[in-house]
Amino acid sequence: MDLQSVLDLCGIEDVRACDLDPDGKQKLWDSIKPFAQPLVKQSKEHPLKFYKCTDKQAAFLKTVRPDIKTSVAKGGNRTGKTHIGALVACVYLLGKDYFIGSDLWEHIKDIPVPEDKGRTIWAIGVDFDAGIKSVIWPKLKMFLPKSEGTGLVWRDYEKVVEYTDARGNKNTLRCKSAESGRSKFQGASVDLIWEDEEIPEEVHDECYQRTIDCAGHIIITCTPIGEEGKVGTITWLYDLFERCMAGERAVSFTTFSIFDNPHLPPAEVQAAVDKWSGRPEGRARLYGDFYQALGLCYYELDPGVHFIKPYQIPNDWMRFRVIDPHPAKATACVWLAVDWFNNLTAYR
């Protein structure tokens, strides 16, 4: 743990380690070492008890409540949205009693964790390697208790964690890959489902059904860059967003911007802004906004071949006007009009 993290852990907010030279850092560490070392040890053993939410993460946690079925955290890259998904999954696994007296208590005390029974939690990635193995599983390993005798049982091969909480409930968190198809998501009753990134709609619909009989909840964390990496596509998640904007109360969206994460170095934030500004997906990667990709419809267009000098069009020539309001397939009517025009001119 670096010195700045220790200062944050100790609540020393008026000193920034980056402003000190090596000698100054050593003197500062020597002065706080007696009370900092026990805190550092505890924070490593129980990291979530010392986790400090960003303002946007705290706002998202307020949406995880009984009257909201689906809470979505859409955000740019490195904005803290995946952290908050893993955090909620861990709260359901460990139980809220685990957090009493911790920094997180005020933020999670109203989350509707069913405490009168054993709980089932699913953490779903788009695929196994890039979703579960590289993102979800490491996040859970980072957040859950590390000390001996925690009661956690890690089944790494199956990507399953089991835990008996303070009330004696036997809880299970299971990682699942959306690429296995909807048939692998049938038949269970699930208290919380965390979907990381946008999974196929039919799998999401099946997940929704798993939460009905137990009044469970769904949280989704994603960067809205389109379905299966197809940049700019408008998907089922956007339809859900429109329903939320239209007043559907069972759905909530919280948008995370790269500027909402105070832990990112300012130079890196500026580098990301420089890289993505002006590019179609920049709004999604920086600000977590849905967007419609713009660009060439005709990729073989050659100005030297297909462009001519402007001239006055004779009044007796046929004219065409194309209006295409479709939000996702902006070239469909254009190609139809071109085919129609080509068929007409072939007979002239």
Side-chain angles (χ1 to χ4, degrees):
M1 183 178 290
D2 60 62
L3 180 58
Q4 187 59 57
S5 298
V6 175
L7 292 174
D8 294 340
L9 181 65
C10 296
I12 303 175
E13 300 178 352
D14 56 343
V15 178
R16 307 304 296 173
C18 59
D19 296 331
L20 303 174
D21 59 25
D23 287 341
K25 290 181 180 180
Q26 185 60 50
K27 290 179 181 178
L28 177 60
W29 170 246
D30 290 340
S31 67
I32 66 173
K33 183 177 178 179
F35 64 88
Q37 278 189 324
L39 284 176
V40 170
K41 181 180 179 181
Q42 292 176 44
S43 70
K44 289 181 178 179
E45 294 177 346
H46 299 276
L48 274 184
K49 288 188 175 183
F50 294 85
Y51 187 84
K52 297 183 184 298
C53 287
T54 66
D55 291 342
K56 191 53 66 76
Q57 289 174 334
F60 174 80
L61 289 175
K62 291 180 180 178
T63 72
V64 186
R65 60 182 199 240
D67 59 320
I68 294 180
K69 184 74 169 180
T70 306
S71 297
V72 183
K74 66 180 183 70
N77 302 119
R78 318 309 302 171
T79 57
K81 62 187 186 307
T82 306
H83 274 57
I84 207 66
L87 189 155
V88 176
C90 290
V91 170
Y92 269 74
L93 178 67
L94 298 172
K96 291 193 294 185
D97 289 350
Y98 174 84
F99 296 92
I100 293 175
S102 72
D103 293 339
L104 266 179
W105 174 249
E106 285 301 315
H107 299 299
I108 63 93
K109 62 184 178 65
D110 295 324
I111 291 179
V113 178
E115 298 177 307
D116 58 347
K117 65 168 188 172
R119 298 176 292 276
T120 299
I121 305 102
W122 284 356
I124 303 174
V126 174
D127 57 24
F128 181 80
D129 287 330
I132 296 172
K133 188 176 178 181
S134 299
V135 178
I136 293 176
W137 197 243
K139 281 284 190 299
L140 297 174
K141 287 277 190 179
M142 179 176 71
F143 278 161
L144 288 171
K146 308 292 190 299
S147 58
E148 295 294 330
T150 59
L152 288 169
V153 177
W154 293 88
R155 288 155 50 187
D156 284 88
Y157 179 76
E158 299 176 79
K159 296 297 182 283
V160 172
V161 191
E162 297 174 337
Y163 179 73
T164 301
D165 64 25
R167 298 175 183 246
N169 299 315
K170 295 182 179 180
N171 311 312
T172 302
L173 191 160
R174 185 179 303 275
C175 297
K176 297 174 74 69
S177 170
E179 66 182 351
S180 61
R182 71 181 303 165
S183 63
K184 300 297 184 180
F185 292 81
Q186 296 174 347
S189 177
V190 188
D191 298 287
L192 177 76
I193 295 178
W194 167 34
E195 301 173 8
D196 187 47
E197 301 302 348
E198 188 177 351
I199 65 177
E201 183 175 11
E202 63 271 15
V203 176
H204 168 76
D205 288 344
E206 198 63 49
C207 287
Y208 184 94
Q209 293 300 107
R210 300 306 108 223
T211 66
I212 291 177
D213 64 333
C214 59
H217 293 267
I218 297 172
I219 58 175
I220 302 172
T221 56
C222 66
T223 298
I225 60 173
E227 184 178 10
E228 298 178 356
K230 298 177 182 178
V231 173
T233 54
I234 304 298
T235 63
W236 65 265
L237 190 60
Y238 183 75
D239 294 336
L240 192 66
F241 177 70
E242 285 194 319
R243 285 160 45 194
C244 177
M245 294 299 100
E248 183 169 329
R249 296 183 178 180
V251 180
S252 173
F253 274 76
T254 305
T255 301
F256 287 63
S257 160
I258 193 172
F259 303 103
D260 293 325
N261 187 347
H263 307 295
L264 294 178
E268 291 300 319
V269 173
Q270 186 57 51
V273 171
D274 294 341
K275 175 179 176 60
W276 294 111
S277 292
R279 297 176 62 174
E281 65 268 39
R283 294 296 307 176
R285 294 193 180 277
L286 295 175
Y287 306 103
D289 293 337
F290 288 102
Y291 73 99
Q292 174 61 44
L294 302 174
L296 286 174
C297 296
Y298 308 103
Y299 296 100
E300 296 180 359
L301 180 69
D302 182 352
V305 174
H306 301 108
F307 286 11
I308 63 174
K309 293 181 179 180
Y311 64 94
Q312 185 64 38
I313 299 175
N315 292 332
D316 60 342
W317 280 27
M318 186 179 296
R319 287 164 168 77
F320 296 89
R321 175 176 293 172
V322 175
I323 301 174
D324 181 15
H326 197 290
K329 300 176 181 177
T331 65
C333 291
V334 176
W335 280 113
L336 179 61
V338 170
D339 289 341
W340 180 33
F341 177 78
N342 288 338
N343 288 334
L344 285 175
T345 55
Y347 293 100
R348 300 187 70 171

